[in-house]
Amino acid sequence: MGTDRSRSPGMARNLRTEGATATDHEVLMPRSFVFASIAAIAAAAVPLATAAPAHAQTLRIAMTATDIPTTTGMPNNGFEGMRFLGYPIFEGLILWDLTKTDALAGLKAGLAESWTQSPDDKKTWIFKLRPNVAFHDGTPFNADAVIWNLDRYFKTDSPQFEAPGSGITRARVPIMAGYKKIDDMTVSMTTTVPASYFPYMVVYVLFTSPASFEKAGNDWGKVATLPAAGTGPFKITKVTPREVVELARNDAYWDASRKPKVAGVRLLPIPDANSRIAALRSGQVDWIEVPPPDGIPSLKSAGFTITTGSYPHVWPWIYNIGATNSPLKDVKVRQALNYCVDRAGLVEMLNGVAEPSVGWLKASDPHFGAPKNRYTFDPAKGKALLAEAGYTAAKPLSFKVMVSTSGSGQMLPLPMNEFVQSNLKEACGVNVEVNAVEWQVLLTAARATPDAPTLAGASALNVSSPSSDIGVMARYFAKSSFSPNGFNFPQWADDQFEASLKTLAEATDPKEITAATKAVHERLVDNPPWLYIVHDLNPRAMSGKVKGFVSPQSWFVDLTTVSLQ
Protein backbone atom coordinates (compact mmCIF):
# COMPACT_ATOMS: atom_id res chain seq x y z
CA MET A 1 0.00 0.00 0.00
CA GLY A 2 2.88 2.34 0.67
CA THR A 3 4.39 1.99 -2.78
CA ASP A 4 4.14 5.06 -5.01
CA ARG A 5 1.65 4.67 -7.85
CA SER A 6 0.83 8.34 -8.29
CA ARG A 7 2.07 8.94 -11.82
CA SER A 8 -0.66 9.04 -14.42
CA PRO A 9 -0.17 7.14 -17.72
CA GLY A 10 2.26 8.85 -20.05
CA MET A 11 3.64 11.16 -17.40
CA ALA A 12 6.90 9.24 -17.34
CA ARG A 13 7.78 10.90 -20.63
CA ASN A 14 8.19 14.18 -18.82
CA LEU A 15 7.97 13.90 -15.04
CA ARG A 16 10.28 11.25 -13.68
CA THR A 17 10.19 9.11 -10.55
CA GLU A 18 11.98 9.79 -7.26
CA GLY A 19 15.34 11.40 -7.71
CA ALA A 20 15.21 11.48 -11.51
CA THR A 21 14.75 14.52 -13.69
CA ALA A 22 13.04 15.56 -16.88
CA THR A 23 14.84 17.62 -19.50
CA ASP A 24 13.66 20.07 -22.11
CA HIS A 25 14.63 17.56 -24.79
CA GLU A 26 11.87 15.20 -23.75
CA VAL A 27 8.44 15.24 -25.37
CA LEU A 28 5.90 17.40 -23.54
CA MET A 29 2.59 15.66 -23.01
CA PRO A 30 -0.36 17.34 -24.73
CA ARG A 31 -2.87 18.83 -22.29
CA SER A 32 -5.63 16.55 -23.56
CA PHE A 33 -3.70 13.53 -22.30
CA VAL A 34 -2.90 14.85 -18.83
CA PHE A 35 -5.65 12.77 -17.22
CA ALA A 36 -6.27 9.16 -18.09
CA SER A 37 -9.75 7.83 -18.65
CA ILE A 38 -11.19 7.69 -15.16
CA ALA A 39 -13.98 5.32 -16.17
CA ALA A 40 -11.55 2.76 -17.56
CA ILE A 41 -9.28 2.91 -14.54
CA ALA A 42 -12.13 2.83 -12.03
CA ALA A 43 -13.49 -0.31 -13.65
CA ALA A 44 -10.37 -2.16 -12.58
CA ALA A 45 -10.11 -1.14 -8.94
CA VAL A 46 -6.70 -1.64 -7.36
CA PRO A 47 -7.16 -4.05 -4.45
CA LEU A 48 -6.15 -2.64 -1.09
CA ALA A 49 -3.60 -4.43 1.07
CA THR A 50 -6.11 -4.98 3.85
CA ALA A 51 -9.77 -5.90 3.56
CA ALA A 52 -12.46 -3.52 4.77
CA PRO A 53 -13.84 -4.30 8.24
CA ALA A 54 -17.31 -5.74 8.61
CA HIS A 55 -18.29 -3.12 11.20
CA ALA A 56 -20.67 -0.72 9.46
CA GLN A 57 -19.77 2.16 11.78
CA THR A 58 -16.10 2.33 10.84
CA LEU A 59 -15.35 5.30 8.58
CA ARG A 60 -12.71 4.41 5.96
CA ILE A 61 -10.65 7.26 4.54
CA ALA A 62 -8.13 7.18 1.67
CA MET A 63 -5.37 9.72 2.21
CA THR A 64 -2.99 11.08 -0.43
CA ALA A 65 0.10 10.16 1.62
CA THR A 66 2.47 7.46 0.36
CA ASP A 67 2.80 6.14 3.90
CA ILE A 68 0.91 6.54 7.14
CA PRO A 69 1.96 9.69 9.03
CA THR A 70 4.03 9.05 12.14
CA THR A 71 1.97 8.12 15.19
CA THR A 72 4.00 9.43 18.13
CA GLY A 73 1.90 12.56 18.62
CA MET A 74 3.65 14.88 16.16
CA PRO A 75 2.81 13.44 12.72
CA ASN A 76 4.87 14.03 9.61
CA ASN A 77 3.36 14.24 6.10
CA GLY A 78 2.51 17.91 6.46
CA PHE A 79 -0.97 19.08 7.33
CA GLU A 80 -2.57 15.87 6.06
CA GLY A 81 -0.71 14.19 8.89
CA MET A 82 -2.06 16.78 11.33
CA ARG A 83 -5.56 16.44 9.83
CA PHE A 84 -5.87 12.70 10.39
CA LEU A 85 -3.20 11.59 12.89
CA GLY A 86 -2.75 14.85 14.75
CA TYR A 87 -5.81 16.64 16.09
CA PRO A 88 -8.22 13.67 16.20
CA ILE A 89 -5.89 11.92 18.68
CA PHE A 90 -3.38 14.41 20.08
CA GLU A 91 -4.53 17.88 21.05
CA GLY A 92 -3.02 21.26 21.82
CA LEU A 93 -3.62 23.88 24.49
CA ILE A 94 -5.48 25.78 21.77
CA LEU A 95 -7.61 24.16 19.05
CA TRP A 96 -9.08 25.23 15.73
CA ASP A 97 -12.79 26.07 15.61
CA LEU A 98 -13.90 23.93 12.66
CA THR A 99 -17.64 24.56 12.91
CA LYS A 100 -18.02 27.28 10.24
CA THR A 101 -18.00 27.18 6.47
CA ASP A 102 -18.46 30.93 5.80
CA ALA A 103 -15.29 32.29 7.44
CA LEU A 104 -11.70 31.29 8.10
CA ALA A 105 -11.37 28.91 11.04
CA GLY A 106 -10.55 30.73 14.26
CA LEU A 107 -9.18 29.52 17.57
CA LYS A 108 -10.93 28.08 20.60
CA ALA A 109 -9.96 26.75 24.01
CA GLY A 110 -8.49 23.26 24.01
CA LEU A 111 -6.40 21.69 26.73
CA ALA A 112 -6.07 25.21 28.11
CA GLU A 113 -9.30 26.81 29.30
CA SER A 114 -7.85 30.27 28.66
CA TRP A 115 -4.71 32.11 27.64
CA THR A 116 -3.63 35.70 28.19
CA GLN A 117 -0.72 37.90 27.25
CA SER A 118 1.06 39.05 30.40
CA PRO A 119 0.24 42.72 31.13
CA ASP A 120 3.81 43.22 32.33
CA ASP A 121 5.62 41.51 29.45
CA LYS A 122 4.28 41.19 25.90
CA LYS A 123 6.65 38.27 25.34
CA THR A 124 5.01 36.11 28.02
CA TRP A 125 1.75 34.18 27.71
CA ILE A 126 -0.10 32.47 30.58
CA PHE A 127 -2.13 29.30 29.98
CA LYS A 128 -4.72 28.04 32.47
CA LEU A 129 -5.05 24.29 31.92
CA ARG A 130 -8.33 22.44 31.69
CA PRO A 131 -8.99 20.31 34.80
CA ASN A 132 -10.10 16.68 34.82
CA VAL A 133 -8.58 15.75 31.47
CA ALA A 134 -6.89 12.37 31.10
CA PHE A 135 -4.77 10.82 28.37
CA HIS A 136 -6.14 7.72 26.66
CA ASP A 137 -4.04 5.58 29.02
CA GLY A 138 -5.76 7.11 32.07
CA THR A 139 -2.84 9.25 33.25
CA PRO A 140 -3.65 12.89 34.07
CA PHE A 141 -3.06 15.84 31.79
CA ASN A 142 -1.45 18.61 33.86
CA ALA A 143 1.38 21.14 33.89
CA ASP A 144 3.99 18.41 34.35
CA ALA A 145 2.78 16.72 31.16
CA VAL A 146 2.91 20.05 29.31
CA ILE A 147 6.50 20.76 30.39
CA TRP A 148 7.54 17.17 29.62
CA ASN A 149 6.25 17.55 26.05
CA LEU A 150 7.79 20.98 25.58
CA ASP A 151 11.14 19.52 26.69
CA ARG A 152 10.55 16.76 24.14
CA TYR A 153 10.40 19.38 21.39
CA PHE A 154 12.63 22.21 22.59
CA LYS A 155 15.25 20.74 24.98
CA THR A 156 17.81 18.74 23.04
CA ASP A 157 19.39 17.18 26.14
CA SER A 158 16.13 15.95 27.66
CA PRO A 159 15.77 12.13 27.93
CA GLN A 160 12.54 12.34 25.91
CA PHE A 161 13.90 14.56 23.12
CA GLU A 162 12.45 13.47 19.77
CA ALA A 163 14.42 14.83 16.84
CA PRO A 164 11.79 14.41 14.06
CA GLY A 165 8.97 15.85 16.17
CA SER A 166 11.26 18.61 17.37
CA GLY A 167 12.18 19.64 13.84
CA ILE A 168 8.53 19.96 12.85
CA THR A 169 7.49 21.79 16.02
CA ARG A 170 10.42 24.20 16.14
CA ALA A 171 9.76 25.17 12.54
CA ARG A 172 6.13 25.93 13.42
CA VAL A 173 7.01 27.75 16.65
CA PRO A 174 10.33 29.41 15.76
CA ILE A 175 10.02 32.17 18.38
CA MET A 176 9.78 29.97 21.50
CA ALA A 177 12.30 31.29 24.06
CA GLY A 178 11.26 29.45 27.22
CA TYR A 179 8.47 28.02 29.34
CA LYS A 180 7.82 27.09 32.96
CA LYS A 181 5.33 25.51 35.33
CA ILE A 182 3.57 28.04 37.54
CA ASP A 183 1.39 25.53 39.38
CA ASP A 184 -0.20 22.16 38.63
CA MET A 185 -2.71 23.72 36.25
CA THR A 186 -0.88 26.79 34.95
CA VAL A 187 2.10 27.20 32.60
CA SER A 188 3.74 30.14 30.90
CA MET A 189 5.55 30.43 27.58
CA THR A 190 7.93 33.19 26.57
CA THR A 191 8.73 34.28 23.02
CA THR A 192 11.91 35.80 21.59
CA VAL A 193 9.94 38.86 20.40
CA PRO A 194 6.47 40.23 21.12
CA ALA A 195 4.02 38.37 18.88
CA SER A 196 0.30 39.10 18.93
CA TYR A 197 -0.12 36.04 16.72
CA PHE A 198 1.61 33.56 19.09
CA PRO A 199 -1.64 31.66 19.85
CA TYR A 200 -1.74 30.73 16.15
CA MET A 201 1.60 28.97 16.67
CA VAL A 202 0.65 27.27 19.94
CA VAL A 203 -2.21 25.52 18.13
CA TYR A 204 0.40 23.27 16.43
CA VAL A 205 2.03 21.98 19.65
CA LEU A 206 0.46 18.60 20.42
CA PHE A 207 0.69 16.55 23.61
CA THR A 208 1.42 12.84 24.11
CA SER A 209 1.21 10.95 27.39
CA PRO A 210 4.62 10.71 29.10
CA ALA A 211 3.57 7.22 30.14
CA SER A 212 3.60 6.16 26.46
CA PHE A 213 7.31 6.93 26.29
CA GLU A 214 8.01 5.06 29.54
CA LYS A 215 5.96 2.06 28.42
CA ALA A 216 8.02 1.87 25.22
CA GLY A 217 11.28 1.74 27.14
CA ASN A 218 12.10 5.37 26.33
CA ASP A 219 12.19 4.61 22.60
CA TRP A 220 10.12 6.85 20.30
CA GLY A 221 10.34 4.24 17.54
CA LYS A 222 8.46 1.82 19.77
CA VAL A 223 6.04 4.55 20.93
CA ALA A 224 4.84 4.79 17.32
CA THR A 225 3.46 1.23 17.42
CA LEU A 226 2.28 0.97 21.05
CA PRO A 227 0.07 2.86 20.17
CA ALA A 228 0.71 6.26 21.75
CA ALA A 229 -1.88 7.96 23.96
CA GLY A 230 -3.26 11.45 23.44
CA THR A 231 -6.30 13.26 24.84
CA GLY A 232 -8.42 13.57 21.69
CA PRO A 233 -11.85 12.26 20.66
CA PHE A 234 -10.25 9.25 18.95
CA LYS A 235 -7.51 6.91 20.12
CA ILE A 236 -5.15 4.79 18.06
CA THR A 237 -5.79 1.04 18.39
CA LYS A 238 -3.59 -0.46 15.67
CA VAL A 239 -0.72 0.66 13.45
CA THR A 240 0.34 -1.32 10.39
CA PRO A 241 3.23 0.58 8.76
CA ARG A 242 2.65 1.59 5.13
CA GLU A 243 -0.82 0.04 5.20
CA VAL A 244 -3.33 1.31 7.74
CA VAL A 245 -3.96 3.01 11.07
CA GLU A 246 -7.09 2.15 12.99
CA LEU A 247 -8.75 4.58 15.41
CA ALA A 248 -11.50 3.96 17.95
CA ARG A 249 -13.91 6.39 19.55
CA ASN A 250 -12.74 7.74 22.92
CA ASP A 251 -15.87 7.33 25.02
CA ALA A 252 -14.14 9.11 27.92
CA TYR A 253 -13.40 12.25 25.90
CA TRP A 254 -13.41 15.40 28.04
CA ASP A 255 -15.74 17.38 25.74
CA ALA A 256 -19.09 15.60 25.90
CA SER A 257 -20.45 17.75 23.03
CA ARG A 258 -17.81 16.41 20.64
CA LYS A 259 -17.89 12.68 21.20
CA PRO A 260 -17.57 10.92 17.83
CA LYS A 261 -20.65 9.49 16.12
CA VAL A 262 -18.74 6.66 14.42
CA ALA A 263 -17.22 3.77 16.34
CA GLY A 264 -13.90 4.02 14.54
CA VAL A 265 -11.85 5.30 11.60
CA ARG A 266 -9.49 3.45 9.25
CA LEU A 267 -6.85 5.59 7.55
CA LEU A 268 -5.25 4.20 4.39
CA PRO A 269 -2.43 5.79 2.35
CA ILE A 270 -3.35 5.68 -1.35
CA PRO A 271 -1.15 8.24 -3.14
CA ASP A 272 -2.44 7.62 -6.65
CA ALA A 273 -5.55 9.67 -7.42
CA ASN A 274 -6.97 7.10 -9.82
CA SER A 275 -6.50 4.31 -7.28
CA ARG A 276 -8.34 6.39 -4.69
CA ILE A 277 -11.31 6.89 -7.00
CA ALA A 278 -11.35 3.17 -7.83
CA ALA A 279 -11.34 2.30 -4.12
CA LEU A 280 -14.32 4.61 -3.54
CA ARG A 281 -16.29 3.21 -6.47
CA SER A 282 -15.68 -0.37 -5.36
CA GLY A 283 -16.82 0.33 -1.80
CA GLN A 284 -13.41 -0.28 -0.24
CA VAL A 285 -13.40 3.20 1.30
CA ASP A 286 -16.10 5.73 2.22
CA TRP A 287 -14.14 8.95 1.69
CA ILE A 288 -11.24 10.01 -0.53
CA GLU A 289 -9.07 13.07 -0.43
CA VAL A 290 -8.46 14.94 -3.72
CA PRO A 291 -10.51 13.10 -6.36
CA PRO A 292 -9.19 13.56 -9.92
CA PRO A 293 -10.99 16.57 -11.44
CA ASP A 294 -11.97 14.63 -14.59
CA GLY A 295 -13.61 12.01 -12.40
CA ILE A 296 -15.85 14.38 -10.45
CA PRO A 297 -18.75 14.53 -12.95
CA SER A 298 -18.98 10.73 -13.16
CA LEU A 299 -18.80 10.43 -9.38
CA LYS A 300 -21.67 12.88 -9.00
CA SER A 301 -23.76 11.02 -11.55
CA ALA A 302 -23.09 7.78 -9.67
CA GLY A 303 -24.49 9.25 -6.46
CA PHE A 304 -21.28 10.10 -4.64
CA THR A 305 -21.06 13.33 -2.67
CA ILE A 306 -18.49 15.92 -3.76
CA THR A 307 -17.54 18.62 -1.26
CA THR A 308 -15.57 21.73 -2.16
CA GLY A 309 -14.99 25.08 -0.52
CA SER A 310 -12.66 28.00 -0.16
CA TYR A 311 -9.91 27.54 2.38
CA PRO A 312 -6.53 29.16 3.16
CA HIS A 313 -4.36 27.33 0.64
CA VAL A 314 -1.66 28.39 -1.82
CA TRP A 315 -0.13 26.08 -4.45
CA PRO A 316 3.11 27.85 -5.43
CA TRP A 317 6.65 27.33 -6.54
CA ILE A 318 8.83 28.51 -3.66
CA TYR A 319 11.87 30.29 -5.05
CA ASN A 320 15.33 29.28 -3.87
CA ILE A 321 16.68 32.83 -3.62
CA GLY A 322 19.54 32.05 -1.25
CA ALA A 323 21.38 29.50 -3.38
CA THR A 324 24.79 30.68 -4.52
CA ASN A 325 24.09 30.81 -8.25
CA SER A 326 20.31 31.13 -8.15
CA PRO A 327 18.87 33.03 -11.13
CA LEU A 328 15.96 33.95 -8.85
CA LYS A 329 17.96 36.43 -6.77
CA ASP A 330 16.78 39.11 -9.22
CA VAL A 331 13.33 40.39 -8.29
CA LYS A 332 12.61 41.07 -11.98
CA VAL A 333 12.95 37.35 -12.72
CA ARG A 334 10.64 36.48 -9.84
CA GLN A 335 8.05 39.00 -11.03
CA ALA A 336 8.43 37.89 -14.65
CA LEU A 337 7.54 34.30 -13.85
CA ASN A 338 4.40 35.51 -12.08
CA TYR A 339 3.35 37.24 -15.33
CA CYS A 340 4.20 34.17 -17.45
CA VAL A 341 1.83 31.67 -15.78
CA ASP A 342 -1.52 30.89 -17.38
CA ARG A 343 -3.46 30.38 -14.16
CA ALA A 344 -6.86 30.37 -15.89
CA GLY A 345 -5.69 27.61 -18.21
CA LEU A 346 -4.58 25.50 -15.27
CA VAL A 347 -7.91 26.07 -13.48
CA GLU A 348 -9.71 24.96 -16.65
CA MET A 349 -7.57 21.82 -16.78
CA LEU A 350 -8.59 21.14 -13.16
CA ASN A 351 -12.30 21.41 -14.02
CA GLY A 352 -12.68 24.45 -11.79
CA VAL A 353 -11.59 22.90 -8.46
CA ALA A 354 -9.05 25.71 -7.99
CA GLU A 355 -8.87 29.48 -8.40
CA PRO A 356 -6.01 31.69 -9.64
CA SER A 357 -3.48 32.84 -7.06
CA VAL A 358 -1.86 36.27 -7.45
CA GLY A 359 -0.51 36.56 -3.91
CA TRP A 360 -0.12 34.64 -0.68
CA LEU A 361 -3.65 35.73 0.25
CA LYS A 362 -6.57 35.52 -2.13
CA ALA A 363 -7.29 38.68 -4.13
CA SER A 364 -10.69 38.85 -2.43
CA ASP A 365 -9.16 38.85 1.05
CA PRO A 366 -9.65 42.20 2.85
CA HIS A 367 -5.98 42.09 3.86
CA PHE A 368 -4.68 41.63 0.28
CA GLY A 369 -3.78 45.34 0.10
CA ALA A 370 -2.97 47.36 -2.99
CA PRO A 371 0.32 46.06 -4.42
CA LYS A 372 1.82 47.70 -7.47
CA ASN A 373 1.83 44.37 -9.31
CA ARG A 374 -1.48 42.65 -10.09
CA TYR A 375 -0.33 39.51 -11.82
CA THR A 376 -2.19 38.40 -14.93
CA PHE A 377 -1.19 36.12 -17.80
CA ASP A 378 0.92 38.67 -19.67
CA PRO A 379 3.77 36.93 -21.53
CA ALA A 380 4.90 40.19 -23.17
CA LYS A 381 5.44 41.82 -19.80
CA GLY A 382 7.06 38.67 -18.47
CA LYS A 383 9.50 38.48 -21.37
CA ALA A 384 10.29 42.19 -21.04
CA LEU A 385 11.20 41.75 -17.36
CA LEU A 386 13.30 38.70 -18.21
CA ALA A 387 15.13 40.70 -20.87
CA GLU A 388 15.87 43.43 -18.33
CA ALA A 389 17.39 40.72 -16.14
CA GLY A 390 19.52 39.46 -19.03
CA TYR A 391 17.44 36.50 -20.22
CA THR A 392 16.43 36.39 -23.88
CA ALA A 393 15.66 33.83 -26.58
CA ALA A 394 19.39 33.58 -27.18
CA LYS A 395 20.06 33.19 -23.46
CA PRO A 396 16.91 31.67 -21.94
CA LEU A 397 16.23 31.38 -18.25
CA SER A 398 16.73 27.77 -17.15
CA PHE A 399 16.33 26.22 -13.72
CA LYS A 400 15.23 23.09 -11.87
CA VAL A 401 12.14 22.65 -9.68
CA MET A 402 11.61 19.84 -7.18
CA VAL A 403 8.02 18.56 -6.95
CA SER A 404 6.26 15.70 -5.18
CA THR A 405 4.35 12.75 -6.54
CA SER A 406 1.51 13.26 -4.07
CA GLY A 407 0.97 14.68 -0.58
CA SER A 408 -0.94 17.00 1.73
CA GLY A 409 -2.37 19.98 -0.13
CA GLN A 410 -0.34 19.09 -3.21
CA MET A 411 -3.52 18.62 -5.27
CA LEU A 412 -2.50 16.67 -8.42
CA PRO A 413 1.15 17.69 -8.54
CA LEU A 414 2.40 15.73 -11.54
CA PRO A 415 -0.06 16.88 -14.22
CA MET A 416 -0.20 20.37 -12.72
CA ASN A 417 3.56 20.80 -12.77
CA GLU A 418 3.72 19.41 -16.30
CA PHE A 419 1.22 22.10 -17.29
CA VAL A 420 3.26 24.90 -15.66
CA GLN A 421 6.49 23.54 -17.15
CA SER A 422 4.99 23.53 -20.65
CA ASN A 423 3.27 26.87 -20.13
CA LEU A 424 6.48 28.68 -19.09
CA LYS A 425 8.31 27.29 -22.10
CA GLU A 426 5.60 28.25 -24.59
CA ALA A 427 4.75 31.66 -23.12
CA CYS A 428 8.15 33.04 -22.12
CA GLY A 429 10.81 30.64 -23.39
CA VAL A 430 11.72 29.49 -19.86
CA ASN A 431 13.29 26.04 -19.59
CA VAL A 432 12.28 24.17 -16.45
CA GLU A 433 13.71 20.81 -15.46
CA VAL A 434 11.46 18.83 -13.09
CA ASN A 435 12.64 16.50 -10.34
CA ALA A 436 9.74 14.45 -8.91
CA VAL A 437 10.28 12.93 -5.46
CA GLU A 438 8.20 11.45 -2.66
CA TRP A 439 6.29 13.97 -0.50
CA GLN A 440 8.33 13.46 2.67
CA VAL A 441 11.56 13.88 0.69
CA LEU A 442 10.26 17.21 -0.59
CA LEU A 443 9.30 18.33 2.92
CA THR A 444 12.80 17.50 4.14
CA ALA A 445 14.25 19.54 1.28
CA ALA A 446 12.06 22.51 2.25
CA ARG A 447 13.74 22.62 5.65
CA ALA A 448 17.23 22.56 4.15
CA THR A 449 19.60 25.44 3.55
CA PRO A 450 19.61 26.82 -0.05
CA ASP A 451 22.79 25.05 -1.18
CA ALA A 452 22.11 21.74 0.60
CA PRO A 453 22.89 18.56 -1.40
CA THR A 454 19.36 17.28 -0.67
CA LEU A 455 18.00 19.92 -3.06
CA ALA A 456 19.93 18.42 -6.00
CA GLY A 457 20.39 21.90 -7.44
CA ALA A 458 16.71 22.88 -7.32
CA SER A 459 15.98 26.59 -7.73
CA ALA A 460 12.35 26.15 -6.66
CA LEU A 461 10.19 23.78 -4.64
CA ASN A 462 6.51 23.03 -5.22
CA VAL A 463 5.27 22.85 -1.61
CA SER A 464 1.70 23.92 -0.93
CA SER A 465 1.15 26.29 1.97
CA PRO A 466 -1.53 27.35 4.41
CA SER A 467 -2.36 31.05 4.46
CA SER A 468 -4.59 30.98 7.49
CA ASP A 469 -3.07 33.59 9.78
CA ILE A 470 -0.19 35.96 10.51
CA GLY A 471 1.58 33.30 12.54
CA VAL A 472 1.99 31.21 9.38
CA MET A 473 3.06 34.29 7.40
CA ALA A 474 5.76 35.03 9.96
CA ARG A 475 6.98 31.43 9.86
CA TYR A 476 7.30 31.46 6.08
CA PHE A 477 8.64 34.94 5.43
CA ALA A 478 10.25 36.54 8.50
CA LYS A 479 14.01 36.91 8.36
CA SER A 480 14.21 35.18 11.74
CA SER A 481 12.66 32.09 10.15
CA PHE A 482 15.45 31.38 7.64
CA SER A 483 15.84 27.67 6.96
CA PRO A 484 16.83 25.36 8.57
CA ASN A 485 15.40 27.01 11.73
CA GLY A 486 12.09 27.95 10.12
CA PHE A 487 10.05 27.73 6.93
CA ASN A 488 11.66 30.68 5.12
CA PHE A 489 13.30 28.32 2.65
CA PRO A 490 14.06 31.07 0.08
CA GLN A 491 15.93 33.00 2.80
CA TRP A 492 13.99 36.00 1.53
CA ALA A 493 14.45 39.26 3.42
CA ASP A 494 12.62 42.55 2.89
CA ASP A 495 13.16 45.56 5.17
CA GLN A 496 9.67 46.99 4.60
CA PHE A 497 8.11 43.62 5.34
CA GLU A 498 10.12 43.31 8.57
CA ALA A 499 9.12 46.79 9.74
CA SER A 500 5.41 46.20 9.09
CA LEU A 501 5.54 42.73 10.67
CA LYS A 502 7.09 44.26 13.81
CA THR A 503 4.27 46.82 13.95
CA LEU A 504 1.73 44.05 13.51
CA ALA A 505 3.31 41.85 16.18
CA GLU A 506 3.33 44.60 18.78
CA ALA A 507 -0.05 46.16 17.95
CA THR A 508 -3.26 45.74 19.90
CA ASP A 509 -5.48 48.20 17.99
CA PRO A 510 -7.49 46.32 15.28
CA LYS A 511 -7.15 49.18 12.77
CA GLU A 512 -3.37 49.23 13.20
CA ILE A 513 -3.24 45.44 12.82
CA THR A 514 -5.31 45.60 9.59
CA ALA A 515 -3.13 48.33 8.06
CA ALA A 516 0.06 46.47 8.92
CA THR A 517 -1.31 43.20 7.55
CA LYS A 518 -2.05 44.87 4.22
CA ALA A 519 1.42 46.38 4.17
CA VAL A 520 3.22 43.06 4.75
CA HIS A 521 1.16 41.33 2.09
CA GLU A 522 1.87 44.04 -0.48
CA ARG A 523 5.57 43.28 -0.09
CA LEU A 524 4.93 39.56 -0.67
CA VAL A 525 3.37 40.48 -4.02
CA ASP A 526 5.74 43.22 -5.20
CA ASN A 527 8.93 41.50 -4.02
CA PRO A 528 7.68 37.93 -4.49
CA PRO A 529 9.49 35.09 -2.71
CA TRP A 530 7.17 32.65 -4.51
CA LEU A 531 5.61 32.01 -7.89
CA TYR A 532 1.91 32.17 -7.02
CA ILE A 533 -0.09 29.71 -9.12
CA VAL A 534 -3.47 28.59 -7.73
CA HIS A 535 -5.54 28.25 -4.56
CA ASP A 536 -7.15 24.84 -4.04
CA LEU A 537 -10.90 24.49 -3.48
CA ASN A 538 -10.42 21.45 -1.26
CA PRO A 539 -12.38 18.74 -3.13
CA ARG A 540 -13.31 15.48 -1.43
CA ALA A 541 -15.50 12.63 -2.60
CA MET A 542 -17.63 10.53 -0.27
CA SER A 543 -20.12 7.71 -0.28
CA GLY A 544 -23.73 8.77 0.12
CA LYS A 545 -23.63 6.96 3.48
CA VAL A 546 -21.37 9.66 4.94
CA LYS A 547 -23.45 12.26 6.77
CA GLY A 548 -22.75 15.31 8.89
CA PHE A 549 -19.43 16.34 7.36
CA VAL A 550 -18.61 20.06 7.62
CA SER A 551 -16.10 21.48 5.11
CA PRO A 552 -14.48 24.30 7.12
CA GLN A 553 -12.22 27.02 5.76
CA SER A 554 -9.25 25.18 7.17
CA TRP A 555 -6.69 22.51 6.32
CA PHE A 556 -8.22 20.45 9.11
CA VAL A 557 -11.55 18.71 9.63
CA ASP A 558 -13.69 17.62 12.56
CA LEU A 559 -14.28 13.88 12.31
CA THR A 560 -16.55 13.88 15.38
CA THR A 561 -19.52 15.26 13.41
CA VAL A 562 -19.45 12.49 10.79
CA SER A 563 -21.80 9.51 10.86
CA LEU A 564 -22.50 6.58 8.54
CA GLN A 565 -26.12 5.90 7.61
Side-chain angles (χ1 to χ4, degrees), residues 41 71 109 151 185 209 247 292 306 335 343 449 458 477-478 494 517 539:
I41 294 174
T71 54
D151 282 349
M185 301 305 292
S209 168
L247 312 180
I306 306 297
Q335 291 173 342
R343 299 170 178 87
T449 52
F477 304 114
D494 182 284
T517 304

Side-chain angles (χ1 to χ4, degrees), residues 70 72-76 152-154 161-172:
T70 47
T72 59
M74 181 46 65
N76 61 7
R152 162 196 180 183
Y153 298 131
F154 296 101
F161 179 72
E162 183 200 7
S166 173
I168 295 169
T169 305
R170 289 185 186 213
R172 291 174 179 162

Side-chain angles (χ1 to χ4, degrees), residues 33-45:
F33 291 102
V34 167
F35 294 108
S37 169
I38 298 298
I41 294 174

